[in-house]
Amino acid sequence: MIKIAPSILSADFCNLERDIQRVSSADWLHVDVMDGMFVPNLTIGPPVVQSIRARTEMFLDVHLMVEKPVRLVDAFARAGADLLTVHLEADMPPAIHAALAEMDRLGVKKGIALRPITAAEAVIPYLCEAQADLILVMTVEPGFGGQPFLAGQLPKIQAVRRYIQRYRPECRLEVDGGIHPATARQAAEAGADVLVAGSAVYSAPDPAAAIAALRG
Ligand code: DX5
Ligand code: ZN
């Protein structure tokens, strides 16, 4: 069963509670955290996640686009994240493994994200040794909403799906960037089971209908 995770990056931050309620028919809420270093944009920190946690029961899928994410795992876990996803490019492998171990200690689910340039094979140690709960394949360069889907990532989604089936079948495969109904179908056919969508949901006149359309 496909899960839909609207990204509040495309919400109106002055009306965040209203915009979270507008997507309550979705499965997860995707929160894009950017530090102005790993990506050029700067967005949300732990106090905002804590305020969101107080106003919704939705599963909080927090995507950390930050350098050296091990520094921030504790703060976002305590703020109420259910799942923390770190980029494997954001630090040296031992430090990324340390970030995942910290998530285990704090009882949050753990995800690993790949920029478009990163090869599928890079996920293998995180599936086998770190026992990741989710792999996130980016289908745009991280940093901004509203970019076109990079169809060249579809073979990588298929390859990551094969590694998941081989090494850790319970792991979820999330795709993020440029998802609208047509690309949602392509990503799902390639093996994705969680789809993030920002602009496709929030630029629609009826976000609930947009979520239903993404389910296909
Ligand atoms: C981009 C973020 C995405 C973004 C997706 O760096 O990780 O989650 O919100 O936005 P759309 O769906 O508009 O591509
Ligand atoms: Zn994201």
Side-chain angles (χ1 to χ4, degrees), residues 5-13 15-24 26 28-30 58 179 197-208 210-211 214:
S7 166
I8 57 165
L9 186 61
S10 296
D12 173 359
F13 286 158
N15 289 287
L16 193 50
E17 185 175 13
R18 179 202 69 188
D19 277 3
I20 291 170
Q21 283 168 355
R22 279 186 176 160
V23 300
S24 59
W28 291 1
L29 194 68
H30 186 83
M58 287 178 83
I179 293 291
S199 48
V201 169
Y202 280 111
S203 67
D206 180 353
I211 291 164
L214 291 170

Side-chain angles (χ1 to χ4, degrees), residues 108-144:
V108 295
K109 300 250 184 241
K110 46 193 192 293
I112 284 286
L114 284 74
R115 302 187 87 121
I117 189 76
T118 303
E121 291 71 25
V123 303
I124 293 173
Y126 298 101
L127 290 171
C128 296
E129 293 151 35
Q131 305 200 325
D133 298 298
L134 175 140
I135 304 293
L136 191 175
V137 174
M138 292 297 304
T139 42
V140 296
E141 278 304 331
F144 300 94

Side-chain angles (χ1 to χ4, degrees), residues 7 9 30-34 63 65 136 138 174 176-177 196:
S7 166
L9 186 61
H30 186 83
V31 180
D32 285 307
V33 173
M34 306 187 187
H63 178 192
M65 286 162 275
L136 191 175
M138 292 297 304
E174 182 173 57
D176 181 7
V196 177

Side-chain angles (χ1 to χ4, degrees), residues 65-130:
M65 286 162 275
V66 304
E67 294 282 354
K68 303 198 183 306
V70 69
R71 300 171 293 130
L72 295 166
V73 167
D74 185 79
F76 280 100
R78 287 180 200 283
D82 293 296
L83 162 74
L84 289 170
T85 297
V86 296
H87 273 265
L88 62 78
E89 308 90 354
D91 207 339
M92 301 300 280
I96 298 297
H97 281 278
L100 297 177
E102 178 80 344
M103 291 173 207
D104 269 340
R105 197 178 64 76
L106 293 162
V108 295
K109 300 250 184 241
K110 46 193 192 293
I112 284 286
L114 284 74
R115 302 187 87 121
I117 189 76
T118 303
E121 291 71 25
V123 303
I124 293 173
Y126 298 101
L127 290 171
C128 296
E129 293 151 35

